[in-house]
Amino acid sequence: MKNWIIGLSAALVAALVTLPVLADELEITRWADGLEWFLEAEPLAAGESRTFLVHATRLDEHSPVTGGSVALALHDGNGDVVAQGVAEAERPGIFPVALELPAAGRYALVGRHEGPEGERSSDLGEVDIPDAPDHDHAHDNDHRHDDAHDHEDDHEHPHGIWSWIRHWFSHEHDHDGEHGDHEDDHHDDDGDAITFLKETQWRMNFAATPARREGFAERIEVPGTIREAPGARARLIAPATGVVTAAESWPQYGRGVERGEPMMRLTLLPDAGAASGLALDVARARERLAAAEAEFERLTALAEEGVVAESRVVEARRERNTARAELEDARERQGHLGGDADPGAIVLRAPADGRVESLEVGPGEVVQAGQQLATVLDGERLWLVAHLYPADLERVRTLADPMVRQPGNRDWHALEGEPVWESGEFEAPGQLLRVAFGLEAEASRYRPGMPVTVAMATEAPRERILLPRQALIDDDGVAVVIVQTGGESFERRPVRTGMRAAGRVEIVSGLEAGERVVTEGAYAVLLAGRDTDDAGHGHAH
C-alpha cells in the first residue's frame, strides 16, 4: 500500500508540473431593463471559437424569452466591436451565440435582445480572455441544451486526468476511511450554496426581487368596505306618463354609457301632456321661486330690526328652497324633450357617464311620471371606507396613506393622500368611526360592497430593509431567506427579523439592501439544496 501511495504521489506531482492551469468556465448574470441575462461558456482562449449559452428571462413574469434574437458583442478599450454574434432561441429562453474570440485581453461584453416589444441592450460586464494553451488541449465546446446530454458535476469533466487530480485534492479522498471528519467539514462549508436550474425555475411559480430600504411603520389592520362615492349613482326618471321603447337598442346591464347618450324612448299617452305642459310647469315653478325669494328677503330685513320672530325667517327659507328644487326638477324634465323629439315622444338620455347598473322596466311597459327607469353607476368614483373602533383610533398616528388588501389576496396596495370624509363621531351599532378615502385611480380592481382589510400607521415611518412576508421561511425554527447570487446559484441565509405589517417584514440583520431574494418558490429551492443524490446539480439542458 505504501509503495502504491508513493507511486501515485509521484504521478500527481508530474501532472502538476506538466499540465497547464485551466481557466474556469465562464458564468455571467446581470439583471437589467426587465431582463435577466445568464450566460455560460467553456473556458475562454484567444483566437478560438466559443458558444455562449444565453438564458434570457423576463423579470415581470419570470418566464423564458421565447421570441426574437439575442446578439453579443465584445468591445475593446476604444469601444470598437472586435467580435459579435447573433442567434435565435434554440429552446424557449436559451440562445446559443457563437463568437470568434479576439486576442488576449480584457473586453466589455454587451448583450442585445430584439423582439416584438422592441430592442433592449444591457452591459454584461468585462471578460478576460487569456492566451490559448501551448499544447493541444481539447475543449468540449458543445455545451448544448440537449436532454440526452447531462453535464454531471464532479463526474464527467472534459479535461480528463486534470479534472480528476483537482477533484482528488479538493475533496481530500481517503480510501481507508480515516478522514471522514474532513469530508463533513467540507460539506458544512458549502452547505448553504444551492444550484437550481433555470429550466426548473421557468416551469414553476418563481420570482426574485431585490431587498429594498424603504420607509416603514408599524400598522394595525382594521376592516373596510368599498362603496360608491356620493353622486356616483345617477337615476333615469320618467318625466311624463307614457310607454318606453328602445331609442336605438335596449340598454344592457354593465354596458358603458356617456352622459346625454340616448337610452330609451318614451311615447306619451294622450292624457299625459306634452312639451306645452312641461313648459307650463317650468313657468309656474319659476313664479313660485321668485315669490319665495322676495318673501325671504323681506322677512330677513324685518327680523334684523326685531319686528318679526326668527322662526318666520326659517320658514321662509324652507319655502324658498322647496320652490328652487321644484324649478330644477321641472327644467330637468323639460330638458329630456331635447330638440330632436316629436310632440308625442321623448328621448330619454343617460344622466351621467358610467355603466348601466340596473333596469327597472322593460320595453313596451307603461310608466308613470317620476318613476325610476334605470340607474347608471360611475364605477371609477369609489370610496374605501375604513371602520375604526375607539381603541384603534388611540393607536393610529395618522389617517393618511393607508394600505389596502382584497380578500383572498396577500398583496397590499398603498393609497396616497388624506381622507376625503370622516363621520365625525362614533356611530352605533358597535361604536365605529367611519373614514373614507378616494379610489379613483385604483377603482378597476374594486367593486361596491367588497370587504377589504385596511392597514393604518401607528408611528412615523423609518428607513428599514424590507421583504415581502412570503420570502421568509421557517427552517426548523430558524428564519431564513433564499438569496439569488447568480442565474442558477442560490444561498440559504439565516436572518433576524423585526417589525411585520401589511404583508412586509423588516430584516434587521443577515441581508443587505440590493441583494436579490426569492419571493416565490423559495421553499422549493431550499429543498433542492438538501437533495442528497445531488440531482439538483446535474446541468441537463
Side-chain angles (χ1 to χ4, degrees), residues 382-384 415-416 418-420 436-442:
L382 297 176
W383 276 9
L384 163 65
L415 301 180
E416 297 182 357
E418 300 283 342
V420 297
F437 301 86
L439 287 175
E440 292 186 12
E442 304 283 340

Side-chain angles (χ1 to χ4, degrees), residues 47-59:
E48 297 187 4
S49 176
R50 289 291 182 270
T51 296
F52 290 72
L53 289 174
V54 181
H55 305 66
T57 304
R58 292 170 51 99
L59 291 178

Side-chain angles (χ1 to χ4, degrees), residues 161-247:
I161 183 63
W162 177 245
S163 175
W164 183 83
I165 293 170
R166 290 196 301 177
H167 181 78
W168 175 279
F169 279 101
S170 64
H171 288 78
E172 298 182 0
H173 281 284
D174 175 45
H175 294 278
D176 295 329
E178 296 177 357
H179 301 287
D181 292 341
H182 293 287
E183 292 184 9
D184 291 340
D185 291 343
H186 178 78
H187 177 77
D188 291 341
D189 291 341
D190 295 338
D192 290 338
I194 303 170
T195 298
F196 199 66
L197 300 186
K198 188 59 62 181
E199 291 90 332
T200 305
Q201 299 173 33
W202 290 335
R203 289 195 297 264
M204 58 180 286
N205 290 330
F206 182 90
T209 187
R212 303 185 185 279
R213 185 177 293 276
E214 302 177 18
F216 189 59
E218 183 179 6
R219 292 176 179 266
I220 61 170
E221 297 181 6
V222 299
T225 308
I226 304 299
R227 301 192 182 281
E228 67 271 8
R233 178 180 282 106
R235 294 168 173 80
L236 180 63
I237 305 297
T241 301
V243 178
V244 289
T245 56

Side-chain angles (χ1 to χ4, degrees), residues 42 131 151 155-156 166 191 234 282 303 356 365 429 475:
E42 290 294 319
D131 288 319
H151 300 282
H155 293 289
E156 296 182 14
R166 290 196 301 177
V282 171
V356 178
E365 288 190 26
D475 188 16

Side-chain angles (χ1 to χ4, degrees), residues 37-168:
W37 297 78
F38 173 54
L39 285 68
E40 295 177 297
E42 290 294 319
L44 306 183
E48 297 187 4
S49 176
R50 289 291 182 270
T51 296
F52 290 72
L53 289 174
V54 181
H55 305 66
T57 304
R58 292 170 51 99
L59 291 178
D60 55 350
E61 301 175 349
H62 210 89
S63 59
V65 174
T66 56
S69 61
V70 164
L72 296 179
L74 289 172
H75 297 256
D76 62 15
N78 298 321
D80 297 329
V81 176
V82 295
Q84 60 184 338
V86 63
E88 296 182 349
E90 180 183 66
R91 292 170 57 185
I94 300 174
F95 299 77
V97 182
L99 294 181
E100 294 294 332
L101 301 182
R106 175 168 292 185
Y107 299 90
L109 181 62
V110 176
R112 185 181 73 254
H113 173 256
E114 292 186 8
E117 300 176 355
E119 178 180 317
R120 289 184 280 191
S121 296
S122 298
D123 179 6
L124 303 181
E126 294 184 337
V127 295
D128 290 318
I129 300 179
D131 288 319
D134 294 335
H135 71 288
D136 184 13
H137 182 71
H139 288 280
D140 179 9
N141 193 39
D142 294 327
H143 185 61
R144 310 294 292 175
H145 283 249
D146 188 344
D147 289 335
H149 295 81
D150 293 349
H151 300 282
E152 297 292 335
D153 294 350
D154 302 333
H155 293 289
E156 296 182 14
H157 199 285
H159 304 300
I161 183 63
W162 177 245
S163 175
W164 183 83
I165 293 170
R166 290 196 301 177
H167 181 78
W168 175 279

Side-chain angles (χ1 to χ4, degrees), residues 382-457:
L382 297 176
W383 276 9
L384 163 65
V385 181
H387 308 287
L388 282 76
Y389 291 96
D392 297 331
L393 193 60
E394 291 179 2
R395 296 182 59 193
V396 171
R397 179 181 182 274
T398 175
L399 296 176
D401 304 328
M403 301 188 74
V404 59
R405 177 173 61 86
Q406 296 174 246
N409 192 329
R410 65 187 180 190
D411 295 330
W412 290 82
H413 301 278
L415 301 180
E416 297 182 357
E418 300 283 342
V420 297
W421 175 83
E422 296 180 35
S423 59
E425 61 181 4
F426 288 95
E427 304 172 351
Q431 292 298 305
L432 292 174
L433 180 70
R434 294 184 296 156
V435 182
F437 301 86
L439 287 175
E440 292 186 12
E442 304 283 340
S444 60
R445 64 169 63 97
Y446 302 112
R447 294 292 182 271
M450 177 185 293
V452 294
T453 301
V454 185
M456 313 195 79

